[in-house]
């Protein structure tokens, strides 16, 4: 197994300048065996359009995120059919964020596009996106956002919008509501993203944090062409926590202010009880109210400890310096592996 152990980002990679610029399609894949043939057909059609219109070459970089179906077999077949197809296969499932990072590291293009294999990110927008960058050299990225959430469950849409409102209030890094990972970037933009190699990644925030001028394109929501979504409510909730913790320290300040508020309320309550006892001469009766107060304060303490623990856990993960992903196979390493076969002597034992 080929192991990728480098954790820190590579030095900025300047691709060799040739007459025709190279456009890299970076596509994370997790159990996408049904979608891949359809995506490849559409992507090659768009690549021909880019060649005819702008004279660009194309490469397709697929990242197999530890799929349990025949995704890797399909990628091998596509590579044998078309040498422009390159792939990286992980040793296990590391998550989409790691797959995006691996794809950006592997891509050699002057321009790099990131998009999903399920065609919810329409490759047909790429000619328009590349045309904008060609006409506006002061821009380094063309990004996309969903105009509507048609076809999405109402509950999921509600919490998605709520997440964007919360993170934009808490963080100094603005994240566009409905932003997709589908975008076309210049090499300068890609190298800036690769320079940030933290393990706990939130690409939507990283893309925004690096700055550079970005042009936004809106499009109608598109349904998957095949397969089922890999995201569930629990996964999306966890992903939202990653984003908030990664780009805001406001929750820590909130915990501190909450502690101060509780101290003030407790002090006022003590003064009230003392004054009441002095005026009326009877102690405050009732253990149920006391228990309720204890439980309330205890709950607030555990809540604030949980916030602190979340930040501490992220810090602990980063200090271990583990690689963001491990590579099991690529299109080049597949044919260099040597299988160990038993000798004739050993086979007769």
């Amino acid at each position: 197994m080929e192991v990728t152990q480098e954790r820190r980002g590579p030095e900025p990679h300047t691709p060799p300048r040739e007459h025709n610029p190279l456009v890299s399609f970076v596509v994370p894949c997790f159990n996408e065996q049904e979608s891949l043939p359809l995506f490849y057909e559409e992507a090659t059609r768009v690549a021909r359009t880019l060649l005819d219109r702008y004279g660009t070459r194309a490469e397709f970089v697929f990242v197999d995120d530890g799929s349990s179906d025949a995704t890797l077999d399909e990628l091998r077949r596509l590579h044998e059919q078309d040498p422009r197809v390159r792939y990286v296969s992980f040793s296990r499932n590391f998550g989409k964020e790691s797959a995006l990072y691996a794809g950006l590291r592997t891509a050699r293009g002057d321009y790099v596009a990131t998009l999903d294999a399920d065609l919810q990110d329409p490759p047909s927008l790429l000619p328009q996106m590349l045309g904008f960058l060609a006409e506006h050299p002061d821009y380094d990225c063309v990004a996309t956002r969903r105009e509507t959430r048609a076809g999405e469950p109402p509950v999921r849409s509600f919490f998605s919008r709520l997440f964007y409102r919360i993170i934009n209030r808490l963080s100094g890094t603005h994240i566009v509501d409905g932003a997709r990972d589908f975008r076309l970037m210049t090499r300068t933009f890609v190298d800036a993203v690769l320079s940030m190699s933290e393990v706990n990644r939130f690409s939507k925030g990283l893309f925004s944090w690096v700055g550079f001028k970005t042009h936004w394109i809106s499009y109608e929501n598109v349904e998957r062409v095949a397969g089922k979504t890999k995201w569930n409510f629990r996964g999306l909730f966890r992903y939202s926590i990653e984003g908030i913790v990664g780009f805001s320290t406001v929750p820590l300040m909130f915990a501190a202010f909450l502690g101060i508020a509780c101290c003030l309320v407790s002090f006022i309550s003590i003064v009230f009880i003392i004054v009441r006892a002095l005026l009326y001469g009877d102690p405050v009766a009732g253990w149920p109210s006391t228990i309720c107060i204890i439980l309330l304060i205890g709950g607030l303490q555990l809540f604030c400890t949980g916030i602190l623990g979340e930040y501490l856990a992220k810090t602990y993960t980063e200090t271990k310096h583990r690689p963001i992903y491990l590579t099991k196979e690529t299109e080049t390493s597949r044919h260099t592996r040597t299988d160990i076969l038993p000798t004739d002597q050993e086979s007769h034992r």
Side-chain angles (χ1 to χ4, degrees):
M1 178 177 74
E2 178 189 342
V3 178
T4 301
Q5 293 186 342
E6 181 181 355
R7 180 178 180 273
R8 295 299 164 197
E11 294 297 322
H13 168 65
T14 302
R17 299 302 302 174
E18 299 185 19
H19 179 66
N20 295 336
L22 177 65
V23 178
S24 299
F25 294 62
V26 172
V27 189
C29 305
F30 180 63
N31 294 340
E32 296 287 0
Q33 64 174 15
E34 298 175 2
S35 303
L36 282 175
L38 301 173
F39 174 86
Y40 174 75
E41 181 182 353
E42 176 66 11
T44 52
R45 185 190 66 79
V46 171
R48 286 193 297 270
T49 301
L50 293 176
L51 174 62
D52 295 339
R53 191 175 301 179
Y54 303 106
T56 58
R57 298 170 293 124
E59 69 169 1
F60 307 100
V61 180
F62 295 91
V63 182
D64 173 31
D65 187 19
S67 299
S68 57
D69 63 357
T71 294
L72 180 56
D73 293 332
E74 185 63 28
L75 294 178
R76 291 167 178 162
R77 185 188 68 79
L78 290 175
H79 172 68
E80 292 174 357
Q81 173 184 328
D82 184 351
R84 296 177 301 173
V85 173
R86 305 171 61 210
Y87 65 87
V88 177
S89 181
F90 289 172
S91 61
R92 64 170 177 83
N93 178 250
F94 283 89
K96 184 180 179 181
E97 292 295 327
S98 297
L100 279 172
Y101 179 78
L104 294 177
R105 282 193 61 191
T106 305
R108 299 179 295 204
D110 302 278
Y111 299 94
V112 180
T114 55
L115 61 171
D116 290 341
D118 55 17
L119 291 179
Q120 285 192 293
D121 301 329
S124 57
L125 291 177
L126 285 174
Q128 176 186 349
M129 298 163 77
L130 183 60
F132 183 89
L133 290 179
E135 295 173 4
H136 301 82
D138 53 330
Y139 280 79
D140 286 281
C141 179
V142 177
T144 62
R145 63 183 297 271
R146 288 185 297 183
E147 205 167 60
T148 65
R149 296 180 179 272
E152 188 176 77
V155 175
R156 179 170 170 178
S157 297
F158 169 78
F159 281 105
S160 294
R161 292 192 179 92
L162 180 63
F163 162 71
Y164 284 108
R165 284 199 294 268
I166 291 174
I167 196 170
N168 284 323
R169 283 182 176 273
L170 299 182
S171 174
T173 302
H174 180 73
I175 301 176
V176 175
D177 187 0
R180 300 282 296 174
D181 290 326
F182 179 28
R183 58 182 61 216
L184 181 66
M185 301 163 280
T186 63
R187 173 50 57 179
T188 302
F189 191 101
V190 172
D191 288 338
V193 174
L194 288 175
S195 67
M196 298 179 294
S197 55
E198 60 254 42
V199 173
N200 303 292
R201 304 184 68 81
F202 181 68
S203 290
K204 288 183 176 65
L206 296 177
F207 289 148
S208 179
W209 188 90
V210 296
F212 298 99
K213 295 186 72 173
T214 299
H215 175 66
W216 288 90
I217 295 177
S218 299
Y219 69 94
E220 297 288 338
N221 189 41
V222 180
E223 295 292 330
R224 291 178 60 95
V225 293
K228 297 180 179 179
T229 180
K230 312 306 183 298
W231 289 99
N232 53 33
F233 184 82
R234 180 182 177 183
L236 290 171
F237 178 76
R238 189 65 195 170
Y239 187 61
S240 67
I241 296 298
E242 291 277 356
I244 293 172
V245 173
F247 285 88
S248 176
T249 57
V250 171
L252 290 174
M253 298 173 59
F254 170 76
F257 284 122
L258 188 61
I260 294 174
C262 287
C263 289
L264 290 176
V265 172
S266 299
F267 178 76
I268 294 172
S269 299
I270 291 173
V271 171
F272 172 77
I273 292 172
I274 293 175
V275 171
R276 181 177 177 178
L278 292 175
L279 292 177
Y280 298 100
D282 60 338
V284 179
W287 64 268
S289 59
T290 304
I291 295 299
C292 290
I293 294 173
I294 291 175
L295 291 177
L296 174 63
I297 300 300
L300 291 175
Q301 289 176 333
L302 290 176
F303 176 71
C304 295
T305 303
I307 293 176
L308 180 62
E310 189 67 27
Y311 282 90
L312 185 61
K314 302 303 180 189
T315 304
Y316 172 65
T317 303
E318 296 291 341
T319 57
K320 289 190 289 188
H321 301 295
R322 289 180 180 174
I324 298 175
Y325 63 90
L326 299 177
T327 302
K328 176 183 178 182
E329 179 184 322
T330 66
E331 79 281 355
T332 56
S333 68
R334 178 190 176 195
H335 299 290
T336 60
R337 178 176 173 178
T338 303
D339 293 326
I340 301 176
L341 300 176
T343 61
D344 290 339
Q345 238 180 2
E346 290 175 338
S347 61
H348 290 296
R349 287 182 181 176

